[in-house]
Amino acid sequence: MDNFFSVIIILGALLLVASLKTTFKVCKKTSQRAWSVLLCAIVCFILGYWWILYYFSNYDTAPIIRNAVATILFGGAGFVFLVVKLSLKSILKIEQATQYQKYQTEHDNLTTLPNRNNFFKSLSKQVDYPSSFALFYIDLNNFKQINDAFGHQCGDQLLAAFANKLSKELCGIAKLYRIGGDEFAFLLNTDTDESMAHCVNIINSAVKAPFCTHEQMVKIQLSIGVSRFPDDSRLPDQLLKKANLALHEAKKTFQPLVNYSPEIGKRAEDFFDLSVKIKAALHKGEFELYLQPIMNSKDIQLHGLEALIRWPQADGSFISPEKFISVAERTGLIFVLSKWVVQEAVNHIRKLKLFGFSGTIHVNLSTKDIESSEFYEFIISLLTTDPTLSDSLIFEITEGAMMTNIPAARKMMQQLSMRGFKFSVDDFGTGFSSLSLLRELPINQIKIDQSFIKDMLINPPDYAIVESTLFLASRLNCDVVAEGIETKEVEQALLSMNCDYLQGYLYSKPINIDEFINVYLSTEKVS
């Protein structure tokens, strides 16, 4: 027997041995039975190769036959080796792709932190153990304003830098997760006051220095809400919900950290119940529009009126607008509510004109209204139906509403001003940027807040503010309405200061349209 035959057969057997090892790896990574069958077959092939080597070594056969058999068997072994090798490579690539996909689904792309889904998995595992722990829910204050001022690229860099810094500071104590947007969370495996205070100090230390992002130095402040297991809840979703409620309480009350309490939960339940009632009230038409007169100071005769929404209850009481308006703003119902107010005011104008009314109706707008292009389109649609509407409506916007988003306020007010509508600044003097508003926005009228009017005769600073506002308004060609007038003495003082218009309980409380017509307008229709 020649050496060629022996070498080829041995090499083929060695390839099968190598394939055996690779096939065993494949069997460990897959549950398909075919690979186990192939593993047994390769073992049989190896035994067969050695038997063929033994057979041809002991029996004479033609060289051409031996070499042909050796070549075929070597080719078969090589084929098995390549197939098994490539199969393992493909399986490893699929495994890597799966692991990468799993990583992507469980981690945030921007910060590389574990994401909300990952957090819920960890939280669900944590509640299975009896030991207590605390859930910290963190939010960056005024992040939207940072995005608007410096751009989204700067905002993204700020989030990444903050996440990296805080994650390093918490290393060995807790794992930081990004819940979404500018919200982060982590679990502290103890709820002792000392450990929690230590964590708060770490968080405060992480944001003490400004962050450098996109050539901007940005100082951030945080709000933190905390819930505890098992005191606040034993359910993962409820723990996160209650930490979120505590976070909103912290933001609302300007506190750096708030622990969840039953009182916070009760307010949240009341908030939800009221939002449901608002929806039902809109559907059933329970709201009413009341009117309060605005008097001309020259003759103390009716000049205009302010439309005020009221929500009467079955027992004769009213739910305060201050209470349900804020709920409507936070639940997205404010546009529907504002749309109803404007439409009802338009209906009132038509009815009042039949009784000789020729003044204007003041309608209050919310922060959300002046940011909504949909609200603008609604107003324009009313104007299309009645082009004279802009002569009868004056929109009142508080300083706070305008300061929330000045670019949006400027755009909306300029667009409506070009259509003939006028604007009045409500609650003037209670905000922080009154003068800048008068300079930057198309404002035609100022309403001095009643908090300055009521005590102006006994509080010299209030008197000075009223006097200064009237002087400033005259220089800016703005009319002035003083609201909250309840006594003749205050009225006379304002008349001596040449205040344009007067409003308050001295003249009338807000009343419904029928009572308004009976008191202030002729009962005969004007032809």
Side-chain angles (χ1 to χ4, degrees), residues 293-342:
I294 298 175
M295 315 303 287
N296 193 320
S297 64
K298 294 179 180 178
D299 51 12
I300 314 298
Q301 294 298 310
L302 180 66
H303 168 74
L305 47 90
E306 181 178 359
L308 299 165
I309 188 170
R310 292 293 183 265
W311 189 1
Q313 302 299 295
D315 61 359
S317 63
F318 290 82
I319 296 179
S320 169
E322 293 181 358
K323 188 175 181 180
F324 67 79
I325 290 294
S326 62
V327 173
E329 287 183 329
R330 290 171 58 187
T331 56
L333 293 170
I334 191 62
F335 171 70
V336 181
L337 207 58
S338 296
K339 183 179 177 181
W340 179 86
V341 170
V342 173

Side-chain angles (χ1 to χ4, degrees), residues 165-456:
K165 180 78 176 292
L166 185 55
S167 184
K168 287 182 179 178
E169 294 289 338
L170 291 173
C171 184
I173 301 174
K175 180 189 288 186
L176 185 66
Y177 298 80
R178 186 185 182 192
I179 304 301
D182 60 338
E183 295 180 344
F184 300 82
F186 66 85
L187 303 175
L188 183 64
N189 291 327
T190 175
D191 64 349
T192 63
D193 293 338
E194 295 79 7
S195 299
M196 293 180 65
H198 178 60
C199 255
V200 172
N201 289 335
I202 289 174
I203 296 170
N204 291 335
S205 175
V207 298
K208 187 175 183 180
F211 288 84
C212 182
T213 59
H214 203 57
E215 299 182 353
Q216 298 287 344
M217 297 299 293
V218 182
K219 184 74 170 69
I220 64 173
Q221 292 181 328
L222 306 175
S223 294
I224 305 172
V226 179
S227 62
R228 305 188 190 203
F229 174 89
D231 295 346
D232 295 328
S233 179
R234 292 179 177 272
L235 301 175
D237 57 337
Q238 287 298 312
L239 278 171
L240 185 62
K241 177 184 177 181
K242 291 179 177 181
N244 193 22
L245 290 175
L247 171 64
H248 284 295
E249 182 72 12
K251 294 179 74 70
K252 185 172 68 174
T253 57
F254 302 101
Q255 298 182 67
L257 183 143
V258 169
N259 288 287
Y260 175 81
S261 66
E263 291 76 17
I264 293 175
K266 180 63 168 59
R267 285 197 293 270
E269 290 179 6
D270 293 343
F271 178 90
F272 176 77
D273 291 343
L274 188 56
S275 68
V276 173
K277 289 180 180 178
I278 292 172
K279 289 181 182 179
L282 283 166
H283 180 71
K284 296 176 182 178
E286 294 179 3
F287 291 104
E288 295 180 7
L289 202 65
Y290 276 43
L291 307 174
Q292 186 174 34
I294 298 175
M295 315 303 287
N296 193 320
S297 64
K298 294 179 180 178
D299 51 12
I300 314 298
Q301 294 298 310
L302 180 66
H303 168 74
L305 47 90
E306 181 178 359
L308 299 165
I309 188 170
R310 292 293 183 265
W311 189 1
Q313 302 299 295
D315 61 359
S317 63
F318 290 82
I319 296 179
S320 169
E322 293 181 358
K323 188 175 181 180
F324 67 79
I325 290 294
S326 62
V327 173
E329 287 183 329
R330 290 171 58 187
T331 56
L333 293 170
I334 191 62
F335 171 70
V336 181
L337 207 58
S338 296
K339 183 179 177 181
W340 179 86
V341 170
V342 173
Q343 185 63 65
E344 195 70 6
V346 171
N347 296 338
H348 279 19
I349 289 172
R350 291 170 182 161
K351 186 174 181 179
L352 292 171
K353 282 184 177 180
L354 296 176
F355 290 88
F357 179 74
S358 59
T360 56
I361 291 185
H362 291 228
V363 176
N364 294 279
L365 300 184
S366 77
T367 303
K368 301 297 182 182
D369 296 330
I370 62 175
E371 296 177 355
S372 170
S373 58
E374 187 179 356
F375 182 78
Y376 171 78
E377 295 299 330
F378 166 68
I379 298 298
I380 296 305
S381 68
L382 294 178
L383 197 60
T384 303
T385 305
D386 182 5
T388 66
L389 194 60
S390 58
D391 297 328
S392 303
L393 279 180
I394 292 180
F395 293 122
E396 289 191 12
I397 308 177
T398 65
E399 287 184 86
M402 288 184 278
M403 288 303 298
T404 301
N405 191 340
I406 286 184
R410 182 188 297 111
K411 181 180 179 181
M412 170 75 80
M413 293 174 69
Q414 287 177 344
Q415 287 176 332
L416 291 176
S417 180
M418 291 175 64
R419 294 283 189 161
F421 289 99
K422 294 182 179 180
F423 291 90
S424 176
V425 183
D426 196 13
D427 301 338
F428 186 82
T430 60
F432 298 101
S433 301
S434 307
L435 299 182
S436 65
L437 290 176
L438 296 177
R439 181 186 62 194
E440 296 182 31
L441 302 175
I443 293 169
N444 311 97
Q445 188 181 87
I446 294 172
K447 292 191 76 173
I448 304 177
D449 187 68
Q450 59 182 332
S451 61
F452 301 110
I453 299 297
K454 285 184 177 180
D455 297 327
M456 60 179 286

